[in-house]
Amino acid sequence: MQWVVSALVLGLAVSSSMVSAQRVRWTTYSIPQTGTSVDFPASIFTEEAGRPDGYGQRFRTADGRADLTIQAAPNLSNDSPAAFLAKKHPPARIQYKRTTRRFFAVSSYKGDKVWYNRCNFSSGLIHCVLINYPASEEREWDDIVTRISLSLRGR
């Protein structure tokens, strides 16, 4: 019985550290129609998972525990980042929020997931990354989310 419990604990430790344990292979994902580009951890998000509104692609991990959307859409109302975010009615309990005149970044928890959204505004377009991942793996995802977020570009 003790062996089963030890194996289970080891299994949980291995699965929760898989993001940090694997060597991450990065590439650039681009949306030619909008000039959107972002560093993309292709060795983590290996499955295509449909298309968002506007232009872009959704991806998920092979086991479905995390997903990433890279998206660009016209800013039809010419909203500022703050006005656009307010129109989306974000939840009241946002854990992290940063808004400037060129972008917003917000993050919080929903159930057992962390969600993170960043949108950059330029030339009538909104360029976004949206990431959902297990809250139990938050520390392992920190560097990955940071690199994705800081690499987001649009013309």
Side-chain angles (χ1 to χ4, degrees), residues 11-20 63 65-66 108-115 132-142:
L12 290 172
V14 169
S15 68
S16 70
S17 65
M18 292 202 30
V19 172
S20 61
D63 62 5
R65 77 182 188 286
S108 197
Y109 301 94
K110 183 175 183 178
D112 63 349
K113 300 277 188 185
V114 173
W115 59 268
N132 298 285
Y133 54 93
S136 63
E137 299 176 18
E138 190 169 10
R139 288 191 189 274
E140 291 87 355
W141 282 90
D142 282 348

Side-chain angles (χ1 to χ4, degrees), residues 73-96:
N75 185 356
L76 298 175
S77 300
N78 200 30
D79 288 327
S80 69
F84 181 84
L85 185 58
K87 284 182 178 180
K88 294 296 181 183
H89 306 289
R93 294 190 207 169
I94 289 179
Q95 299 293 314
Y96 172 79

